[in-house]
Amino acid sequence: MGTEMTGADIVVQALTDLGVEVVFGYPGGAVLPIYDALFQQNRIRHILVRHEQAAVHAAEGYARSSGKVGVVLVTSGPGATNAVTGITDALMDSIPLVVLTGQVPTHLIGTDAFQECDTVGITRHCSKHNYLVQETARLGPVLHEAFYIARSGRPGPVVIDIPKDVQIMKARYTKPGVISHKTYKPQVKGDLAAIEAAVDMLAAAERPILYTGGGVINSGPVASQLLRELAKATGAPVTSTLMGLGSVPDDHPQFLGMLGMHGSYEANMAMNKCDLMLCLGARFDDRVTGRLDAFSPTSRKIHVDIDRSSFNKTVRVDLAIQGDVGSVMEDMLKVWRARGHRAADQKAWWEQIKGWRSRNSFGFEQKGEALLPQKAIQRLYEMTKARKPIISTEVGQHQMWAAQHFGFHEPNKWLTSGGLGTMGYGLPAAIGAQLAYPGALVIDIAGEASIQMNIQELGTATQYRLPVKVFIINNEYMGMVRQWQELNHGGRYSESYSDSLPDFVKLAEAYGWKGITIEGPDDLDAGIQAMIDHPGPVMVDCRVAKLANCFPMIPSGASHTDMILSAADERGEADDDAKALV
Amino acid sequence: MKHLPSERHTLSILVDNEAGVLARIVGLFSARGYNIESLTVADVSDDHAVSRITVVTNGPPPVIDQIMAQLDRLVPVHKVVDLTDWGPHVEREMALVKVAGTGDKRVEALRLADIFRARPVDTSTASFVFEVSGSSEKVNQFIALMREVGLVEVARTGVVAIARGAEAV
Ligand SMILES: Cc1ncc(C[n+]2csc(CCOP(=O)(O)OP(=O)(O)O)c2C)c(N)n1
Ligand SMILES: [Mg+2]
């Protein structure tokens, strides 16, 4: 039967029924009825951000750290367009979100009404799916279906555009049972014959490698556990993409570190020289493969992914297994044990890996006055690791140094914008994670340029008493841009200097935060300690060497074997083909 | 993989007949740089719930596989079938071809139309509109001939296709 309610009440009731505890949003004319309904209840907490882009990133941080669906509520027109960057970010990194947008009333749609925009048109290709709800009676079913789509299969953002009259009109609402969709049916179990073939290939390999990605995190904490078991059973080295860090502990003896453009020498060399690559929930992104025609030329490749379109997109694989990576690993382990496989003799392989490892590609030497950014992150890690912190980042060199020098031991502790590379992600993402885990130490490792892209969110943290920490690696440059200009454009630093920086300490204080400056190596530990000890939000302006480059690096257009390990290997100005690559 | 030789493939896509679904499909092709040679769409079920879209595309085999996979993951897509891979199937296209002229040209146009089994569906003393259907090559050929006898304009449906035999795709 169901009770008759307004559309706005249906939205709130359905969210409650779906177990939603937190909504990130910003009000406006086209969502006033929903805000009114939120006002009159106390089951769902609304977090008022300062910009809609930040609402989406905060929901991403909440989702990525907790495994739940992040929920966003914004108004029509500018509210919706401001959310687009966040929605695209969530699509690229497969983060489950439901984004509710207000819309002008149905009879005004298409008339260029005040604050009208074609939200479903604009978000059609940057969301996993979207809806324009034209009848109040459809609201309940659409909301439940949207959550199902957002979190199942390859997770992603789902947008629901709700005209204002649909929020006001009444209809009956009943909580539905199990959702099944007539066309959308994600495949969770992998094909058993393919899994058996994969296990035999793995058992026979002399130089295997497990190449793991964000899919392992998305599959849930059990998948990280299964990955560790699979590593143990097979004895194979493990490398992870940026998105997958934490699925295997950083200090695991079989872990080679991150791979790709700024990955470790041993990870990239092992990818290049392996005879069997088992890709688990990663997607052969260009930041990982480097030059495609030179990518792992001698290996047979197995790819496990829940999204069929990830297979053979850029790299041809020998065996593709569609399914949830956790479920497939579970079956692989069963088959492995049932067949009595033992890890093959990989002595020669590990000898080789040891050789590559000995190059110590993440190594650096702190000497002199200027604090090396790597050192700052290494100390931040050492001084906070006992607290098992959640780390978010902005985008740039600091992000790569954080990936290299901060050790992750568990899944869901590392929040970074990988696919879209969105500056301004880190602070709101940290706020979202802090809401999911109020007692956790949550730190945004930031750049002085990126942090300014969503700096207004300092106010959000203050308002909700969130003890978020922002640790700015301040090199006074858009360091990653400057590095590319140095390597590819003859050192012409066009518009990459961070001029007219604010006094970050005063800025922090203006928002009710504590501000700390770290001037150099001598006050690093004290600054970090003061940050940890302060119970409220803290912004640390950590001044680092201005011209440090992030190494190792596979230059654009180069292969895994052409890594630059240090400044000494830098080549001259890049050729035009390399320059054309992003 | 994009450097392999291109192949022409005819795809049948069954979709929920809902607002925006065509935009999803067309947008996917343009966003990912896939080609559309022709596209037709119509509601094909009793209850107006399902539409059938026929797309003729071209690309190297791995790209065709990608197109299939990308289409398949759109939420309102029920089924995607590559008829070219599936096997024997029929492809047909219809065109309306307007020809103007008098005297010998007019007689010749009628004679050629007869050979192609094209029917005049509109006639004036100075023009014909022919309806011609068949494979795309046949339609092309007919249009090419009409050029010599006073072609004015053409409207084409694009390809519709269905598998041969008793089974549905
Ligand atoms: C929204 C957005 N605009 C532009 C870029 C391009 N970009 C990538 S890194 C970077 C510089 C970041 O500078 P900073 O935050 O200081 O980090 P650093 O590299 O110095 O550590 C820029 C401009 C981006 N990734 N995102
Ligand atoms: Mg910087």
Side-chain angles (χ1 to χ4, degrees), chain A residues 6 11-12 74 119 156 196-197 224 279 344 353 375 382 393 420:
Chain A
T6 67
V11 169
V12 172
V74 297
T119 302
E196 287 170 348
S224 293
C279 169
I353 290 171
K375 179 77 186 172
E382 281 164 359
T393 72
L420 197 63

Side-chain angles (χ1 to χ4, degrees), chain A residues 112-183:
Chain A
D112 301 319
F114 178 62
Q115 294 194 329
E116 179 185 358
C117 74
D118 177 11
T119 302
V120 285
I122 291 170
T123 60
R124 190 169 287 132
H125 302 293
C126 65
S127 60
K128 181 172 175 183
H129 193 49
N130 65 12
Y131 303 85
L132 170 63
V133 183
Q134 284 171 297
E135 289 160 54
T136 305
R138 289 284 305 142
L139 264 176
V142 164
L143 268 147
H144 284 270
E145 186 178 292
F147 272 72
Y148 169 65
I149 289 173
R151 71 172 160 239
S152 61
R154 178 173 177 177
V158 178
V159 177
I160 309 177
D161 200 25
I162 314 175
K164 196 170 183 183
D165 54 333
V166 172
Q167 299 169 34
I168 287 170
M169 241 90 92
K170 287 188 171 168
R172 292 198 182 283
Y173 166 77
T174 31
K175 183 180 171 180
V178 181
I179 301 278
S180 89
H181 192 276
K182 57 183 188 293
T183 55

Side-chain angles (χ1 to χ4, degrees), chain A residues 63-113:
Chain A
R64 188 77 175 163
S65 61
S66 69
K68 297 179 193 164
V69 176
V71 184
V72 176
L73 174 60
V74 297
T75 192
S76 66
T81 55
N82 271 350
V84 166
T85 300
I87 295 169
T88 312
D89 191 274
L91 181 74
M92 293 288 273
D93 285 344
S94 309
I95 309 292
L97 297 184
V98 169
V99 180
L100 308 173
T101 56
Q103 183 54 279
V104 301
T106 45
H107 67 274
L108 288 181
I109 289 179
T111 65
D112 301 319

Side-chain angles (χ1 to χ4, degrees), chain A residues 466-533:
Chain A
L466 303 173
V468 169
K469 319 294 181 203
V470 173
F471 194 89
I472 303 173
I473 301 289
N474 184 352
N475 53 9
E476 285 181 31
Y477 276 99
M478 297 171 196
M480 193 56 95
V481 171
R482 190 204 54 72
Q483 176 168 346
W484 279 55
Q485 289 171 335
E486 180 184 329
L487 299 180
N488 288 349
H489 296 276
R492 293 178 291 279
Y493 295 157
S494 179
E495 303 296 326
S496 55
Y497 182 66
S498 290
D499 209 322
S500 306
L501 283 174
D503 178 332
F504 283 113
V505 170
K506 279 193 187 147
L507 182 78
E509 286 166 2
Y511 274 103
W513 285 45
K514 182 181 174 67
I516 295 174
T517 307
I518 294 174
E519 297 282 359
D522 293 343
D523 43 0
L524 177 61
D525 283 13
I528 294 173
Q529 196 57 51
M531 177 192 88
I532 301 169
D533 291 344

Side-chain angles (χ1 to χ4, degrees), chain A residues 534-550:
Chain A
H534 185 70
V538 183
M539 177 174 263
V540 179
D541 179 5
C542 181
R543 308 283 173 79
V544 297
K546 294 181 189 173
L547 301 175
N549 282 336
C550 185

Side-chain angles (χ1 to χ4, degrees), chain A residues 395-398 421 423 447-450 453 475 477-481:
Chain A
V395 171
Q397 290 180 318
H398 63 275
M423 294 168 70
E448 83 296 333
S450 297
M453 284 220 179
N475 53 9
Y477 276 99
M478 297 171 196
M480 193 56 95
V481 171

